[in-house]
């Protein structure tokens, strides 16, 4: 009953095995090894992007900040929703790595998605005279921070707004695979075919120990990205540590299988909630591997006492106060774990009703 | 015959195995797992420093820049030798992470070691009026970038200069274990007992995939260090990736055994050079696992043709031009590799002589 | 009919004369001159703050960014309203000078004032775990960017929220004198007695060529502020350029007289608008020397054609579209200018009505 | 007998008068006034550079840092001599404004001049692999920080080294006019005709209150420079404060006359030293308005007691210890002041001899 985050579960054995294999013998450091070359080529293939620049780092924060620093100037504002991970949970990493760009919010509902209209409103507040921060890149997240998705068409509509103003589009794909299998589209359709310029392609939340790929579809600023990676302390010397993981992750369809498992576990959980009559507690229709619910603190306490682990916002001393709970399933979330949790939930509801 | 760097060899199987074990099952992310707690405690124990703050990152550049950013203000100069890794090989990482501190050089000979006198000279050029960058921390490296060592007494003499001026001392210990076994002292004697305030305690160059520990003996700025780690993108979420490695590395005396092996290989290589009458080509007496030589380009070309891999400075088109070669041995460097190399070297010398 | 900004009018002759006098003869540079010492003492006296650190710079952006950089850490968020000058009109100066702090918005109505409640809401979104930017200083502006004021009691209520959380309070006083004469309180009552820690005390918008004072009531970080001023390029060498102006500005009650004149001109303008039946077009009750109105683009075009100069937001091609006009009066705004403008406005209205 | 600095003397009355005139009446702020346009045009004319971008700021540190930030990337090293003002006396302003570029030293003798050979040596230490900071712009100062000059040919030789490597050249012209009249060349010959890309064109040290012009001969990055100026807090709103001064400074040949006066005073002082048999104490042949001497602390104490004010390096308690004295003459240094000083010096020498 561990639903705290998809970075809390086990790494997948096949990925660990591939990493271990990659780390035998001698090979040049800093990415000049064969495994890294093979992985970069594999990612270009997956994205149908033969010219793309692909560089590996060990965290999603590094991937996001590195790509945004490469796309943005320090006198610009980067556009994101108020719920964006880059705003909420990266402790000013983007401001730091860009050398002082600002983050401008694009209004979003509880589904954490911006729209062309809200993006246009936000852009209108920047730029023009020299006094204003100028419009910089847009960054969106899919799966979003509230468990929803952007369809390729929705991404394309945002990219159109950006492109006509010379602004770039970055996709925080910490849960890229979860979005992809949910949408049933190709990586290319979800990214460059929809106007995305740069992707943080996540591995960590989907069974890798710690690896993310920075992808720039236009490779022109690749050297800048590499220099920024180095000066950010993000160029791993024994680089096979990163590429070995990614090689295992992308072998066969493992990465897609793992995401499908996580999504299925979340769907099972959502179905269970509805079966218990709790459909109304679910905020934003869950589309991948995350579910957000709103229920009383009292219920949260009961579930915690029963051993459930999940993230909660709005912790309160008032047992009737509503809190928002976040449930994240990962590749290893078992049907048993979901069912056990639902059992405890049923008990808690019955106790209340009794 | 692979002497390019100690990050080019294999990771040690026991370390990989420990990491794999640590990455099974569920555990909270971001360092809130038991493995990380155990590793931090183990490092405090090794350093006889029960109050020390210990935080893990994945690169030496990150460790150095993070610690120096925590110790320095952006209006200060950090003192290092001209050969220091932080100056030569980190692409302005320190300037970036400190928010614009400068690096002031302390004169050093071919042994890449500063002395109290050269440090005093450098300090004299900073500070005083508001126009000058103010004196900030001193950073030294041991094993140095030229294969030499600072004894605890030498470190203490530098620390005295710093401490009387309110300046902190950082030790870049990318090859900490190699220095320690060469000196035959304790970690405490090499660091806080000699006045060192902060250590980058390296694992990567001694058989780990990618892990370094940032150690602050005065834990007061620990929270700042943690926030800086996060905003630098250096807080790994699936943190057992780092702590698992470090746990394997520090189990028993593995870390010391590995360093002893690397040092022994280098000693065998140095002895072989002397036996071939090449003692004079060796720059700075090798004291740990690195040897620097100066010999003609012609000889370098022969060795390269024979399959030797090592780093060379001063590449030239003139076959008689002297180049500086760097040979680094790691834990896996075999006696056979050393002897094979020496055999090729003997042949090359005889060919020349004939 | 020039209402574009209070930096667009003439410098006051007495101020220019004082500056000219100060710039004769020899004196040490960088603030080590007698004029500067006298001005710093005079400001401490005016603020009844004998321990305050006072440092001069040449722009309001520099004053704000310098003070906020001294009060904030780069891993913090600074709280301001969405209309704040530091957010709207300083091109990421705060993000730059703090080394990458972020700006978090505190909700405000059309009057551009935050309240303790909206401040608390904003603070709730920051801090806690290491992932979040931590709560940093609050910055308020009075006269606000929409022409309204905070009373000392309102400031004290905000400061209470901040102080109980260890957060500092900065007052952007670009129009400090205008606020002061409108409120009828003392500088101390408007600042440190109400819990303010730092003030940008403006001269430029009230008749000085280019001078602002940075005031820190707790002088402990004064040396840091001085070093930051220098490295920001804001330490004027021929410092009498700044202190000479400020000396003239603060001589007698000139600074208060000039603000009173500007406020009176704005009051005359507001009264004229009401007399013309345009009271409803005025947004946020004008309390000092700025008036914001909302009227049709058509009317704006008529007034512009008649020679009126003022700043307009929401420029449109649609003659009926509402635009927001900003009218700023300065010390030199004459009754004639106001009346002439009102005359043109009456004509425009009558033409429309006819 | 005030030789402390050329920022310590009086501003020239004609310059003050022009500034006062410019600051009457209404004009748009932030450089959109006629005076600023006229001054920018005048500077383009003086430099025979009709396309050049010209922007005014209030300090030399701002001018240098702003131009270097516009020319450099944060992963680069900027090349300067160890005596350069940007290294010695700007408290890391360049590191700050560039977002963390580093400063690499180019060897220079006591004359503080780099040569093509020393520049090449310094460049060899940067660039290449991603680990190294990459080669960025070169910055030279003329009049140098030791009172010497670069001839146009010497500048061209340095520019050739830079240009063939894609590096830009910046000239810190804090004492541009003093160099120009000493060399007898045109502004164009001293700058863009010799390959210089950017100039900090100083006014402050030559009789202006506080104004410097940033000149970019290739105007492409002008908008970036303007945005950087704004976010650095260096865009003065009542911009006529800057342009008014500069207008007075450049009217007729005033700026050249003032520099000629300062140079003549220094020449008189140098001749007096030689006449007293102190020619050997003069370090680096004085070529403009600065003289550096080395004499005993004892002599320095005597002169100070007699009322002489000048800057000294190497202050000592030992009366026989040599100290380095810096004498700077400005436009207002009178023959009487020089002769009085020489008289005191003669007395001091005779007393010693007696």
């Amino acid at each position: 009953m561990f639903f705290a985050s998809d970075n809390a579960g086990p790494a997948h054995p096949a990925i660990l095995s591939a990493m271990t294999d990659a780390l035998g013998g001698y090979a040049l450091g800093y990415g000049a090894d064969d495994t890294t070359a093979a992985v970069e080529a594999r990612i270009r293939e997956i994205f149908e992007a033969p010219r793309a620049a692909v560089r590996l780092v060990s965290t999603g924060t590094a991937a996001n900040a590195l790509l945004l620093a490469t796309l943005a100037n320090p006198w610009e504002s980067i556009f994101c929703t108020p719920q964006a991970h880059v705003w909420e949970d990266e402790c000013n990493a983007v401001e730091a790595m860009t050398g002082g760009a600002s983050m401008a919010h694009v209004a979003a509902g509880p589904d954490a998605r911006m729209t062309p209209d809200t993006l246009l409103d936000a852009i209108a507040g920047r730029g023009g005279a020299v006094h204003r921060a100028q419009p910089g890149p847009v960054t969106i997240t899919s799966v979003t921070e509230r468990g929803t998705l952007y369809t390729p068409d929705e991404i394309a509509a945002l990219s159109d707004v950006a492109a006509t103003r010379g602004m770039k589009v970055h996709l925080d794909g910490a849960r890229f695979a979860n979005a992809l299998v949910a949408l049933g589209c190709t990586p290319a359709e979800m990214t460059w075919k929809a106007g995305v310029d740069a992707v943080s392609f996540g591995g960590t939340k989907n069974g890798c120990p710690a690896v993310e790929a920075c992808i720039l579809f236009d490779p022109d600023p690749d050297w800048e990205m590499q220099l920024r990676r180095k000066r950010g302390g993000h160029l791993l010397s024994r680089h096979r540590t990163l590429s070995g993981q990614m090689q295992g992750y992308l072998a066969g369809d493992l990465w897609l299988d793992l995401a499908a498992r996580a999504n299925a576990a979340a769907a099972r959980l959502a179905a269970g909630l509805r079966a218990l009559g709790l459909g109304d507690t679910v905020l934003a229709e869950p589309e991948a591997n995350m579910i957000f619910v709103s229920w009383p603190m009292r219920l949260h306490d009961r579930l915690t006492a029963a051993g459930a682990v999940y993230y909660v916002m709005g912790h309160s001393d008032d047992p009737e106060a509503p809190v928002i709970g976040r449930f994240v399933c990962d590749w290893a979330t078992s049907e048993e774990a979901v069912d056990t949790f639902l059992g405890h939930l049923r008990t808690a509801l019955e106790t209340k009703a009794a």
Side-chain angles (χ1 to χ4, degrees), chain A:
Chain A
M1 296 196 297
F2 207 106
F3 305 101
S5 178
D6 32 11
N7 57 42
H12 191 272
I15 295 171
L16 288 167
S17 174
M19 177 169 57
T20 294
D21 289 350
L23 283 163
Y26 281 82
L28 285 174
Y30 303 107
D33 62 280
D34 293 344
T35 309
T36 301
V39 157
E40 292 173 1
R42 174 84 174 110
I43 290 176
R44 282 190 282 266
E45 186 183 65
I46 286 173
F47 278 84
E48 304 170 57
R51 292 181 64 246
V54 178
R55 302 293 164 192
L56 304 179
V57 294
S58 59
T59 73
T61 297
N64 290 337
L66 185 53
L67 285 168
L68 288 169
T70 302
L71 296 178
N73 286 304
W75 51 83
E76 292 174 352
S77 277
I78 294 165
F79 297 93
C80 67
T81 67
Q83 300 103 328
H85 196 268
V86 288
W87 171 253
E88 286 277 39
D89 285 304
E90 300 190 351
C91 197
N92 297 345
V94 174
E95 289 86 348
M97 213 172 292
T98 55
S102 55
M103 305 294 283
H105 288 172
V106 182
D111 64 347
R113 290 189 297 198
M114 63 176 74
T115 67
D117 284 346
T118 61
L119 177 57
L120 281 165
D121 281 351
I123 295 170
R126 309 270 84 184
V130 77
H131 312 294
R132 297 265 159 129
Q134 302 297 302
V138 183
T139 176
I140 59 173
T141 312
S142 188
V143 181
T144 72
E145 293 80 2
R146 292 298 175 269
T148 57
L149 298 170
Y150 289 96
T151 65
D153 282 354
E154 288 168 339
I155 293 175
L158 296 170
S159 297
D160 281 351
V161 170
T164 57
R165 285 155 185 81
M167 296 159 51
K168 302 292 185 186
V169 177
H170 166 254
L171 172 63
D172 177 352
R175 296 183 176 92
F176 188 91
N178 303 91
L180 196 73
V181 300
L183 290 164
C185 65
T186 68
E189 286 165 355
M190 192 171 145
T191 58
W192 63 266
K193 288 186 176 175
V196 171
D197 298 284
V199 180
S200 301
F201 176 67
T204 310
K205 290 187 190 297
N206 197 26
C208 295
V211 66
E212 316 279 312
C214 299
I215 306 174
L216 283 175
F217 294 112
D218 172 358
D220 277 359
D222 180 32
W223 180 235
E224 171 177 342
M225 176 167 64
Q226 289 188 65
L227 290 160
R228 286 188 179 277
R229 179 174 60 166
K230 173 69 195 186
R231 78 195 292 266
H234 288 293
L235 176 58
L236 265 64
S237 60
R238 207 183 294 268
H239 214 73
R240 296 170 286 167
T241 304
L242 296 177
S243 51
Q245 297 173 58
M246 193 55 99
Q247 195 168 46
Y249 180 62
L250 299 178
D253 285 336
L254 180 62
W255 66 297
L256 299 172
D257 292 347
L258 296 178
R261 287 193 231 175
N263 288 6
R268 185 180 189 91
L269 178 55
L273 292 172
R274 282 192 294 266
L276 290 170
L278 292 172
D280 288 352
T281 69
V282 177
L283 308 170
E285 185 58 22
E287 301 185 86
N289 67 322
M290 290 200 293
I291 300 174
F292 289 77
V293 299
S294 175
W295 52 39
M297 188 66 199
R298 165 180 45 76
L299 184 54
H300 171 66
D301 288 339
R302 292 289 293 269
L303 295 167
T304 301
V309 181
Y310 61 97
Y311 182 68
V312 71
M313 291 171 265
H315 217 276
S316 170
D317 289 335
D318 175 1
E320 298 308 318
V323 294
I324 293 178
R326 185 188 76 165
F327 292 80
V328 192
C329 297
D330 74 329
W331 69 272
T333 304
S334 65
E335 297 191 352
E336 291 70 27
V338 172
D339 293 347
T340 303
F341 173 76
L342 290 170
H344 285 293
L345 183 54
R346 180 182 305 109
T347 304
L349 293 171
E350 289 168 355
T351 308
K352 168 70 181 173

